[in-house]
């Protein structure tokens, strides 16, 4: 999760978020190059008193400044399209988790197992322990096995919510009457924090998300204890 001095993206906890970070850096580098180039040209035009007689209505320079932006957009579009297809890809998920957004809490249902469903509420400030994060910790965490493909099914019971965990690269809108689907993969154990990113009412800021990624053996023990 980000600390107070962290101005960049959160540390990735999934291969998908790693690819999103790489694309962010790739696009930002192109934008920096364009900004520096345009800035140098503008400074040169301001301080240069000479006039090129073939500059006005020049077909050559118009062709150049039409083709170069098109090539630049291709270098941005190809990785972006590749990433969109990676986002939608779901291959043989290990388990499925159904998530329902309420005003103002989340409920989780593990449809592959019997009787594993629970509500997840934010821990009030007066009940926080020393190791808890204010406005981010919950009483019941969503537990998943690490290094496993997880299918996420998200919907809402009342208004539109958004189930978002930035470090895992997941942001899925929870719409009443509609079931949205995505995949989730955690390549390391740990706690991953998120929040509802759709303004859903007065307590919108008080329905956090905590995903606990653990090894497969510990997950099996958790399932046995939860049934």
């Amino acid at each position: 999760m980000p600390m107070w001095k962290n101005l960049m993206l959160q540390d990735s906890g999934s291969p998908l978020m790693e690819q999103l970070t790489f694309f962010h850096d790739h696009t930002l580098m192109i934008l920096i190059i364009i900004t520096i180039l345009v800035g140098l040209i503008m400074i040169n035009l301001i301080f240069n008193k000479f006039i090129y007689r073939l500059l006005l209505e020049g077909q050559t320079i118009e062709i150049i400044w039409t083709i170069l932006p098109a090539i630049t957009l291709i270098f941005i579009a190809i990785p972006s399209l590749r990433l969109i297809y990676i986002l939608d890809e779901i291959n043989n998920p290990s388990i499925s988790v159904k998530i329902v957004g309420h005003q103002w809490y989340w409920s989780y249902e593990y449809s592959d197992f019997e009787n594993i469903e629970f509500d997840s509420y934010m821990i009030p400030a007066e009940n926080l322990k020393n190791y808890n994060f204010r406005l981010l910790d919950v009483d019941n965490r969503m537990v998943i096995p690490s290094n496993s493909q997880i299918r996420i099914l998200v919907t809402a019971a009342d208004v539109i919510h958004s189930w978002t965990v930035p470090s895992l690269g997941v942001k899925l809108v929870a719409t009443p009457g509609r079931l949205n689907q995505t995949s989730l993969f955690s390549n390391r154990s740990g706690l991953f924090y998120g929040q509802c990113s759709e303004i859903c009412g007065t307590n919108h800021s008080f329905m956090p998300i905590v995903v606990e990624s653990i090894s497969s053996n510990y997950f099996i023990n958790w399932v046995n204890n939860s049934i």
Side-chain angles (χ1 to χ4, degrees), residues 41 43 78 91 98 120 137 152 162-163 171 173 196 227:
I41 294 174
I43 293 172
I78 292 177
N91 291 323
K98 183 180 179 182
S120 180
D137 265 303
I152 302 295
S162 184
W163 197 83
K171 183 179 187 295
V173 176
C196 175
I227 295 178

Side-chain angles (χ1 to χ4, degrees), residues 139-162:
D139 53 358
N140 293 309
R141 298 166 177 167
M142 173 185 166
V143 182
I144 61 171
S146 60
N147 296 311
S148 300
Q149 193 80 22
I150 314 297
R151 178 192 283 122
I152 302 295
L153 305 170
V154 178
T155 186
D158 33 49
V159 298
I160 297 178
H161 302 275
S162 184

Side-chain angles (χ1 to χ4, degrees), residues 41-114:
I41 294 174
M42 292 177 64
I43 293 172
N44 186 54
L45 289 174
I46 292 173
F47 292 100
N48 191 354
K49 303 301 181 183
F50 298 103
I51 297 176
Y52 182 46
R53 64 186 182 90
L54 298 178
L55 181 64
L56 299 178
E57 299 183 4
Q59 298 297 322
T60 303
I61 193 171
E62 289 183 3
I63 292 173
I64 292 173
W65 71 41
T66 302
I67 293 177
L68 284 181
I71 295 174
T72 304
L73 290 176
I74 290 174
F75 276 100
I76 296 176
I78 292 177
S80 176
L81 291 173
R82 172 179 170 272
L83 199 55
I84 288 175
Y85 282 102
I86 292 176
L87 285 169
D88 291 336
E89 188 175 356
I90 302 177
N91 291 323
N92 301 321
S94 301
I95 61 171
S96 298
V97 182
K98 183 180 179 182
I99 304 168
V100 182
H102 304 266
Q103 289 181 313
W104 287 271
Y105 64 95
W106 299 96
S107 62
Y108 299 90
E109 178 183 340
Y110 291 74
S111 54
D112 298 311
F113 311 100
E114 293 183 2

Side-chain angles (χ1 to χ4, degrees), residues 128-133:
L128 289 175
K129 308 295 183 182
N130 292 330
Y131 51 82
N132 291 139
F133 292 103

Side-chain angles (χ1 to χ4, degrees), residues 3 8 14 32 57 73 113 160-161 167 182 190 202 206 212 222:
M3 304 309 288
M8 297 299 292
S14 67
I32 291 173
E57 299 183 4
L73 290 176
F113 311 100
I160 297 178
H161 302 275
S167 55
T182 190
T202 56
F206 306 114
E212 182 176 359
W222 177 81

